[in-house]
Amino acid sequence: MKAVKNYKFWFCTGSQDLYGDECLKKVAKHSQIIVEELNKSRVLPFEVVWKPTLITNELIRKTFNEANTDEECAGVITWMHTFSPAKSWILGLQEYRKPLLHLHTQFNEEIPYDTIDMDFMNENQAAHGDREYGHIVSRMGIERKVVMGHWSDRKVQERIASWMRTAIGVIESSHVRVMRVADNMRNVAVTEGDKVEAQLKFGWEVDTYPVNEIAEAVGAVSESDTNALVDEYYDKYEILLEGRDPAEFRRHVAVQAQIEIGFERFLEEKNYQAIVTHFGDLGALKQLPGLAIQRLEEKGYGFGAEGDWKVAAMVRIMKLMTSGMKDAKGTSMLEDYTYNLVKGKEGILQAHMLEICPSIAEGPISIKCQPLSMGDREDPARLVFTSKEGPGIATSLIDLGTRFRLIINEVDCKKVEKPMPKLPVATNFWEPKPNLYTGAEAWILAGGAHHTAFSYDLTSEQMVDWADAMGIESVVIDADTTIRNFKNELRWNAAVYR
Ligand code: MN
């Protein structure tokens, strides 16, 4: 599976010709130094490309339109070094269609008390130039990120880096194609949704294939290809026979290996990056895809269970947003399963029938074959593990009939107190913020689903910015959430998003 493109971000500095050539030379020099230093910092996940200073309507319009058509450009960073009359920006901004960051910085860090004069003041006036520019972007109602601080400050660089990943989520969203090889589970409400509206809002293509078409692709995978992958599994994972006959066990695992190869070939050939399955609609497949889906998720595919295409697309996008991240801890579909309500030990055990991505695993990963309590197929092989500790976010995109809402809950992942030797599935365990009680009450009031797209490597700020860029409502449940304020926020949002 391909990682994201070699994206770049353009750095556009605003000014005007009122100050004379000498000053404009310094403006260009300063912005070049900032771009060089940002690239040298190694904090930013993508390269910043310096662009000549923007001083006229024509050049601004031309530059934004070039950014639109340049396939490698994932966004523009703007900064008004001096005063740039903002009417010059109207046409360019009107025609611009990619993510926009307003970096509110200035070249010098400290006021040069001993030498400051009016020339210096005229050359270093982002404090008012950026306000003029910010005014027009607000008046035009354009979504953008504003980051304030000195460009050399690591915190500022980290915020730019974090926005860059959001921008990738925005740019890549319209390239997400979800393959449904099953419809949504009968009678279930929260996994449903308006696929046309999803394409209008997010750019997602959500298509259906008869399950037996993909089952045929699975059947076409040769025994030697299958056996080679089974050998790889046996090298990589612990085999937990639990009393089963080794040859019979291996045959069960081989079914999943064949599914992994067959599914991946089918998805690649037809250019899909996310998939949904349904345990009740498996056609000629001998087992519910378990281990196979877990491996595909680890390779970067989105996944949603029981036909949940919204979760499949969100998992894919969140994996793209974290693509290439150093020390990434993982991103997966999860499901709220069961609670621990013991005081001081509260939390939600996260799992699914099978399909949790091993990118979130910590410690050994083993293969088990166990009966599935639902459906009518062979006992599927699956990867079993527990997950990493630390903060993460759980997200749920729901369709409210007239609009989408993204619910984001900050959570703390923990180790469970004791092993769970009889539970044959991968798990995570977390305590939602601000605590289990308020977190779960707020989630339910917001209409959040039981399936989530979860990541250790993204923040609620990034997902809110992503939702803003998509023009949809988002709500965050975090350490500051109280039920009274949260209910009011939902009421106010209902008035705004109609
Ligand atoms: Mn489920």
Side-chain angles (χ1 to χ4, degrees):
M1 159 127 292
K2 265 187 298 184
V4 294
K5 275 195 207 116
N6 188 25
Y7 282 120
K8 294 175 171 50
F9 289 83
W10 292 11
F11 193 93
C12 295
T13 308
S15 188
Q16 61 176 325
D17 52 14
L18 185 73
Y19 306 107
D21 285 348
E22 199 55 34
C23 177
L24 281 175
K25 269 184 205 155
K26 284 188 188 163
V27 169
K29 188 78 209 149
H30 289 170
S31 69
Q32 277 168 334
I33 290 170
I34 291 175
V35 168
E36 276 166 30
E37 293 300 317
L38 286 177
N39 284 328
K40 269 199 259 169
S41 72
R42 307 183 71 85
V43 174
L44 308 188
F46 299 94
E47 188 189 343
V48 181
V49 178
W50 180 83
K51 290 284 160 182
T53 311
L54 299 182
I55 52 172
T56 64
N57 302 23
E58 291 72 25
L59 186 59
I60 292 167
R61 189 177 189 179
K62 184 167 171 280
T63 304
F64 275 125
N65 275 300
E66 283 168 5
N68 282 336
T69 52
D70 186 317
E71 285 202 4
E72 286 195 337
C73 174
V76 171
I77 302 169
T78 47
W79 168 51
M80 304 305 117
H81 182 298
T82 44
F83 197 82
S84 182
K87 288 186 197 169
S88 323
W89 291 78
I90 291 174
L91 288 172
L93 285 169
Q94 262 173 345
E95 289 167 13
Y96 181 59
R97 294 190 304 270
K98 287 184 175 177
L100 183 65
L101 173 72
H102 181 181
L103 178 60
H104 182 36
T105 189
Q106 69 180 16
F107 185 69
N108 57 303
E109 190 173 17
E110 190 178 29
I111 295 173
Y113 297 103
D114 298 334
T115 57
I116 188 165
D117 56 12
M118 280 317 288
D119 283 345
F120 181 90
M121 293 275 266
N122 284 332
E123 267 178 35
N124 298 277
Q125 44 177 239
H128 73 272
D130 270 334
R131 282 173 165 75
E132 164 75 357
Y133 169 74
H135 166 75
I136 202 68
V137 187
S138 288
R139 172 157 175 175
M140 292 172 74
I142 293 172
E143 272 308 329
R144 85 289 205 188
K145 183 76 177 170
V146 181
V147 171
M148 196 279 174
H150 196 253
W151 49 271
S152 69
D153 181 352
R154 196 180 166 94
K155 279 199 179 124
V156 170
Q157 295 171 352
E158 282 169 355
R159 291 193 69 211
I160 299 171
S162 154
W163 168 79
M164 282 179 164
R165 293 196 172 278
T166 305
I168 298 306
V170 174
I171 289 284
E172 284 282 346
S173 188
S174 64
H175 303 296
V176 170
R177 302 180 76 234
V178 183
M179 177 182 285
R180 305 166 74 228
V181 293
D183 200 353
N184 299 77
M185 189 175 165
R186 276 189 291 280
N187 281 318
V188 175
V190 79
T191 60
E192 281 285 0
D194 182 338
K195 298 190 285 293
V196 178
E197 195 60 24
Q199 188 156 2
L200 285 168
K201 279 280 185 290
F202 311 115
W204 303 343
E205 288 183 50
V206 185
D207 300 327
T208 302
Y209 284 74
V211 65
N212 277 342
E213 267 191 49
I214 203 164
E216 263 175 45
V218 170
V221 175
S222 71
E223 215 177 302
S224 62
D225 286 356
T226 304
N227 280 333
L229 187 57
V230 174
D231 287 343
E232 189 186 321
Y233 292 168
Y234 273 61
D235 279 346
K236 190 166 178 186
Y237 308 115
E238 280 181 34
I239 304 299
L240 292 182
L241 292 175
E242 295 178 318
R244 295 181 90 112
D245 173 65
E248 181 252 57
F249 189 97
R250 196 180 157 99
R251 277 197 300 277
H252 274 71
V253 174
V255 170
Q256 293 288 334
Q258 201 184 22
I259 293 174
E260 179 183 335
I261 299 169
F263 269 41
E264 191 167 17
R265 286 178 185 164
F266 198 75
L267 290 163
E268 286 238 328
E269 184 195 313
K270 296 184 161 44
N271 188 30
Y272 288 93
Q273 303 82 30
I275 188 165
V276 303
T277 59
H278 176 4
F279 65 87
D281 187 359
L282 293 171
L285 294 173
K286 289 183 210 143
Q287 297 176 13
L288 174 64
L291 199 164
I293 288 291
Q294 293 177 290
R295 299 256 313 174
L296 290 174
E297 258 186 286
E298 193 175 25
K299 288 176 186 170
Y301 288 92
F303 174 75
E306 291 98 50
D308 198 337
W309 52 269
K310 299 195 298 303
V311 163
M314 288 307 296
V315 169
R316 168 66 181 161
I317 284 174
M318 288 163 74
K319 281 180 176 284
L320 288 168
M321 288 169 77
T322 61
S323 170
M325 188 183 264
K326 252 189 294 165
D327 310 319
K329 291 171 74 178
T331 299
S332 178
M333 175 206 155
L334 282 165
E335 180 173 82
D336 298 296
Y337 242 102
T338 198
Y339 290 123
N340 190 16
L341 292 166
V342 174
K343 296 283 178 211
K345 298 172 179 176
E346 292 99 333
I348 317 172
L349 188 65
Q350 303 288 324
H352 202 260
M353 274 182 251
L354 306 172
E355 310 93 333
I356 307 308
C357 178
S359 64
I360 67 171
E362 186 167 67
I365 300 179
S366 47
I367 301 182
K368 289 192 183 194
C369 287
Q370 288 268 343
L372 204 61
S373 48
M374 279 177 264
D376 55 358
R377 301 302 155 110
E378 279 184 6
D379 302 352
R382 78 288 303 270
L383 297 174
V384 181
F385 52 83
T386 58
S387 299
K388 300 177 183 88
E389 292 179 87
I393 53 163
T395 70
S396 173
L397 179 71
I398 57 166
D399 186 338
L400 289 168
T402 50
R403 66 182 196 278
F404 291 105
R405 169 187 285 158
L406 183 68
I407 302 146
I408 305 149
N409 195 175
E410 296 184 1
V411 301
D412 274 324
C413 299
K414 301 173 179 187
K415 289 283 170 201
V416 283
E417 266 186 286
K418 296 173 194 169
M420 300 174 286
K422 291 194 167 171
L423 190 66
V425 289
T427 57
N428 197 344
F429 179 80
W430 68 54
E431 185 181 13
K433 289 199 171 182
N435 55 61
L436 175 63
Y437 307 101
T438 304
E441 285 171 20
W443 186 271
I444 283 170
L445 286 167
H450 52 287
H451 288 164
T452 58
F454 163 84
S455 181
Y456 289 104
D457 308 313
L458 293 169
T459 63
S460 48
E461 181 179 344
Q462 286 173 305
M463 296 314 295
V464 167
D465 289 343
W466 180 84
D468 286 348
M470 294 293 149
I472 65 156
E473 177 193 0
S474 63
V475 287
V476 176
I477 304 164
D478 64 6
D480 298 328
T481 297
T482 64
I483 292 300
R484 191 170 60 174
N485 288 343
F486 191 73
K487 281 181 78 173
N488 277 333
E489 188 180 343
L490 295 176
R491 287 185 188 111
W492 297 328
N493 284 357
V496 173
Y497 295 94
R498 287 194 286 188

